[in-house]
């Protein structure tokens, strides 16, 4: 586990993930000092109006009632991060993206039985990526945030809850604002890096839409010493392959979301442990919790006493999610390599660049570390690619892709620990199935032969053979 969802726990849990300038203020685990400057600095709630110049309609944000995450705030926060470097997509870029995705689909046709999943193409700017993917993010994040807020509220002892009296007017909405600000910051950062609509491991675009982000494609290509159209085509192959998988494996998207939501359902906080922790934390604070000094409240939040503990059920959900994401990524790597090996001269170099990007924390790794505390392990990604590659070599592309026909056929996390053993078992299963089919065919043929023999004896009555045989059997000895 690399991080606790939505900023739970001490602020120095993962110092390497801090942004420049986000130094170690142990009393500000949620970044409230920046977001709610007037309150965190000891001012009044009214001072908040002057501390957020980016949002002209603060009152509207504070009155958000659309769910546990303030998505208006998230959208505005993400777009404000992107404003300085925003580049709208040009007509030439849209044409180039459409041609690359069409060519990618043609190259993929011979290497997978899954048909194209792209009905339309799009070249999104970074801002368009944020706006167009918000519905998918809402479906993924809202259940998790709702559970976090509920667990956090129910676990807060009465004494600590009463300490929030001076800011009671905004505490009811602070969760939505906090999550909205955090999600907005994460989406803004992701929009700077994602090159396709499936770059985070999930299909975020509307169904049937293949997407590249030209500005980020150009940034990805910078310094690779490969032609721009070659890099674009490589990324188009990855997008087209992912679209095929999610379009024609109908349960896959839901399984990924269910794994996240299963984790959310397991979020619980031990109230007795919280009360003990708060008592200890308050005893360590000079003067205890001072309602007139919100920094003491933030110090309580930053002490880690409200950190939810992971349950065995959550661990299983995270492991399932990690395995599914690795299998998707490994399959995409495999089919793209098959499609590009004889056509794209720089494929090996580009594939290696993509592997290094993942190993150093690409968009998928950042997203799920932020959302559910999941750190994708590069070893699992390599093992998943090994499974798909070996399946292709030993059993063919059709047998490889048939594993996606049902979730129970896919390798488990334990199978990925021994990927070649899993592939070998598939061969044994195929042989057993073939033997079973041969036995069934033999039995059917034997039965058919028996039926034909019986029919012949009956039908022979027309030529007298059957009657003669019967007369011979019935005739007594000596009466010829």
């Amino acid at each position: 586990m690399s991080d606790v969802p939505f900023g739970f726990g001490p602020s120095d849990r993962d110092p390497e993930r801090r942004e420049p300038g986000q130094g170690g203020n142990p009393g500000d685990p949620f970044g409230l000092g920046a977001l709610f400057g007037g309150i965190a600095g000891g001012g009044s709630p009214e001072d908040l109006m002057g501390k957020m110049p980016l949002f002209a309609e603060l009152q509207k944000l504070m009155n958000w009632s659309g769910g546990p995450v303030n998505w208006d705030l998230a959208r505005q926060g993400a777009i404000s991060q992107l404003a300085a470097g925003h580049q709208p997509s040009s007509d030439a870029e849209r044409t180039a993206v459409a041609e690359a995705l069409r060519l990618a689909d043609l190259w993929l046709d011979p290497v997978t039985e899954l048909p194209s999943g792209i009905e339309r193409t799009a070249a999104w700017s970074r801002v368009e990526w944020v706006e167009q993917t918000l519905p998918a993010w809402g479906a993924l994040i809202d259940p998790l945030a709702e559970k976090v807020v509920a667990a956090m509220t129910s676990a807060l002892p009465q004494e600590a809850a009463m300490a929030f009296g001076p800011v009671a007017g905004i505490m009811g909405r602070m969760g939505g604002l906090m999550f909205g600000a955090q999600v907005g910051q994460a989406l803004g950062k992701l929009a700077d890096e994602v090159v396709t609509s499936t770059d985070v491991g999930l299909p975020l675009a509307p169904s049937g839409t293949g997407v590249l982000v030209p500005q980020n494609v150009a940034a990805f290509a910078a310094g690779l010493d490969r032609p721009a159209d070659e890099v674009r085509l490589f990324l188009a192959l990855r997008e087209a392959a992912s679209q095929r998988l999610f379009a024609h494996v109908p349960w896959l998207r839901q399984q990924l979301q269910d794994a996240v939501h299963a984790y959310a359902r397991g979020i619980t906080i031990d109230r007795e442990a919280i009360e003990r922790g708060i008592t200890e934390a308050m005893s360590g604070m000079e003067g205890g919790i001072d309602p007139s000094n919100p920094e003491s409240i933030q110090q309580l939040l930053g002490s880690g006493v409200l950190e939810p503990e992971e349950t065995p059920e959550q661990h299983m959900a995270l492991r399932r999610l990690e395995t599914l994401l690795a299998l998707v990524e490994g399959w995409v790597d495999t089919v793209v390599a098959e499609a590009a090996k004889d056509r794209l001269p720089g494929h090996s170099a580009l594939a290696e660049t993509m592997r290094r990007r993942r190993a150093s924390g690409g968009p998928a790794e950042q997203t799920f570390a932020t959302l559910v505390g999941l750190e994708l392990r590069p070893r699992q990604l390599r093992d998943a690619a090994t499974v798909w590659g070996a399946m292709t070599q030993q059993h063919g592309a059709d047998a490889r892709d048939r594993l996606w026909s049902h979730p129970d056929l896919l390798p488990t996390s334990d199978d990925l620990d021994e990927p070649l053993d899993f592939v070998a078992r598939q061969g044994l299963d195929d042989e057993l199935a073939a033997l079973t089919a041969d036995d069934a065919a033999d039995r059917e043929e034997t039965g058919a032969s028996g039926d034909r023999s019986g029919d012949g004896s009956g039908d022979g009555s027309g030529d007298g053979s059957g009657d003669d045989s019967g007369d011979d059997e019935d005739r007594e000895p000596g009466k010829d």
Side-chain angles (χ1 to χ4, degrees), residues 346-424:
H347 170 262
S348 296
L350 292 170
E352 180 60 27
T353 299
M354 186 63 69
R355 282 191 289 269
R356 291 178 181 176
R357 180 177 184 243
R358 289 196 299 255
S360 62
E365 290 73 23
Q366 295 172 17
T367 298
F368 287 99
T370 299
L371 294 181
V372 294
L374 170 67
E375 183 176 0
L376 292 179
R377 293 175 292 170
R379 181 186 61 78
Q380 270 220 321
L381 293 172
R382 289 194 300 270
D383 291 339
T386 298
V387 165
W388 298 124
M391 282 294 299
T392 306
Q393 292 177 0
Q394 297 183 30
H395 308 296
D398 290 352
R400 176 199 68 204
D401 293 346
R402 277 197 297 272
L403 292 177
W404 289 106
S405 62
H406 193 279
D408 290 346
L409 298 178
L410 290 176
T412 64
S413 179
D414 291 336
D415 290 329
L416 292 185
D417 290 336
E418 299 291 343
L420 296 181
D421 288 349
F422 172 83
V423 174

Side-chain angles (χ1 to χ4, degrees), residues 78-94 97 122-131 188 191-194 211-220 222:
I79 292 175
S80 69
Q81 288 181 240
L82 302 169
H86 175 61
Q87 294 179 10
S89 299
S90 66
D91 289 340
E93 287 172 331
R94 282 189 282 271
V97 166
W124 285 347
S125 67
R126 291 169 175 174
V127 169
E128 286 175 320
W129 183 89
V130 170
E131 292 178 328
D192 271 334
E193 300 182 26
V194 289
V211 178
L212 295 185
V213 184
Q215 185 176 358
N216 293 346
V217 171
F220 179 86

Side-chain angles (χ1 to χ4, degrees), residues 280-290 293 296 299:
E280 295 173 1
M282 290 173 61
S283 66
M285 298 179 189
E286 185 175 353
I289 297 180
D290 181 3
N293 181 11
S296 68
Q299 186 177 348

Side-chain angles (χ1 to χ4, degrees), residues 247-330:
H248 300 292
V249 181
W251 51 264
L252 180 56
R253 184 196 304 248
Q254 192 62 48
Q255 287 264 328
L256 287 165
Q257 290 186 353
D258 286 350
V260 175
H261 297 164
Y263 178 88
R265 288 193 298 271
I267 293 176
T268 56
I269 298 179
D270 187 339
R271 185 182 179 89
E272 294 182 359
I274 294 296
E275 291 178 347
R276 290 194 302 270
I278 286 182
T279 300
E280 295 173 1
M282 290 173 61
S283 66
M285 298 179 189
E286 185 175 353
I289 297 180
D290 181 3
S292 66
N293 181 11
E295 288 188 358
S296 68
I297 299 174
Q298 290 191 28
Q299 186 177 348
L300 174 63
L301 294 174
S303 66
V305 298
L306 291 178
E307 178 179 333
E309 295 185 1
E310 183 180 288
T311 65
E313 292 76 14
Q314 286 178 296
H315 179 73
M316 290 177 61
L318 290 179
R319 197 174 184 188
R320 176 63 174 164
L321 176 60
E322 181 182 56
T323 301
L324 276 175
L325 289 169
L327 289 171
V328 169
E329 189 75 11

Side-chain angles (χ1 to χ4, degrees), residues 439-452:
D439 289 344
D442 290 342
R443 288 194 298 271
E444 183 178 351
E445 184 176 351
T446 301
S449 299
D451 291 342
R452 287 195 298 272

Side-chain angles (χ1 to χ4, degrees), residues 86-166:
H86 175 61
Q87 294 179 10
S89 299
S90 66
D91 289 340
E93 287 172 331
R94 282 189 282 271
T95 299
V97 166
E99 291 177 350
L101 287 169
R102 279 196 291 268
L103 182 58
D105 258 341
L106 289 174
W107 286 11
L108 288 168
D109 282 340
V111 300
T112 175
E113 65 176 6
L114 299 180
S116 172
I118 296 178
E119 300 172 2
R120 67 195 70 85
T121 63
W124 285 347
S125 67
R126 291 169 175 174
V127 169
E128 286 175 320
W129 183 89
V130 170
E131 292 178 328
Q132 294 291 335
T133 62
L134 280 178
W137 289 119
L140 184 70
I141 296 174
D142 273 344
L144 185 63
E146 184 175 9
K147 189 67 177 180
V148 170
V149 172
M152 191 174 169
T153 302
S154 64
L156 197 63
Q158 184 176 2
E159 180 182 357
M162 292 176 61
F164 285 91

Side-chain angles (χ1 to χ4, degrees), residues 139-213:
L140 184 70
I141 296 174
D142 273 344
L144 185 63
E146 184 175 9
K147 189 67 177 180
V148 170
V149 172
M152 191 174 169
T153 302
S154 64
L156 197 63
Q158 184 176 2
E159 180 182 357
M162 292 176 61
F164 285 91
V167 289
I170 67 169
M171 283 305 296
R173 301 178 183 88
M174 187 172 287
L177 286 170
M178 179 181 72
F179 294 147
Q182 185 169 354
V183 170
Q185 183 180 30
L187 293 184
K189 185 175 181 181
L190 278 173
D192 271 334
E193 300 182 26
V194 289
V195 290
T196 70
S197 71
T198 55
D199 211 4
V200 302
L202 289 168
L204 300 176
S207 179
T209 305
V211 178
L212 295 185
V213 184

